[in-house]
């Protein structure tokens, strides 16, 4: 879903690293692209990222069943960076 660049910053599953820059996905570039893509639908962005977090948690726990990712770390990585606050009527 993150597009627009010559090399879109998409996740490499099941590792959940960026296919382009190898940073944990969503990398900074993917975050910016997602914010732009969902500029008028913050709720949609949050719902999308919740679903992606669910998939990532399942994949990462399957890869590391004894020392899987920390839930707080996953929350920070997938959801904590989403802009908050009310959208103004002109933003809708």
């Amino acid at each position: 879903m993150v597009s627009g660049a010559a090399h879109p910053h998409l996740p490499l599953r099941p590792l959940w690293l960026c296919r382009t820059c190898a940073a944990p996905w969503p990398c900074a570039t993917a975050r910016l692209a997602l914010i732009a893509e969902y500029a008028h639908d913050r709720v949609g962005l949050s719902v999308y990222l919740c679903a992606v977090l669910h998939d990532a948690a399942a994949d990462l726990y399957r890869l590391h069943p004894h020392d899987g990712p920390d839930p707080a770390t996953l929350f920070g990585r997938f959801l904590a960076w989403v802009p908050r606050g009310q959208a103004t009527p002109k933003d809708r």
Side-chain angles (χ1 to χ4, degrees):
M1 278 186 117
V2 181
S3 60
H7 300 285
H9 289 252
L10 300 172
L12 174 64
R13 292 182 70 177
L15 301 174
W16 289 91
L17 298 175
C18 176
R19 290 177 181 268
T20 301
C21 67
W25 194 91
C27 64
T29 303
R31 290 176 182 193
L32 289 174
L34 286 163
I35 289 171
E37 183 176 344
Y38 286 90
H40 300 292
D41 189 6
R42 288 187 192 157
V43 172
L45 175 58
S46 294
V47 169
Y48 169 69
L49 289 171
C50 284
V52 172
L53 183 150
H54 180 267
D55 291 346
D59 286 347
L60 294 170
Y61 277 107
R62 260 193 305 278
L63 288 174
H64 307 285
H66 301 293
D67 61 347
D70 174 56
T73 301
L74 286 179
F75 175 82
R77 179 174 164 181
F78 286 92
L79 290 167
W81 58 269
V82 174
R84 287 181 178 71
Q86 294 293 329
T88 61
K90 68 178 182 177
D91 290 338
R92 293 183 189 157

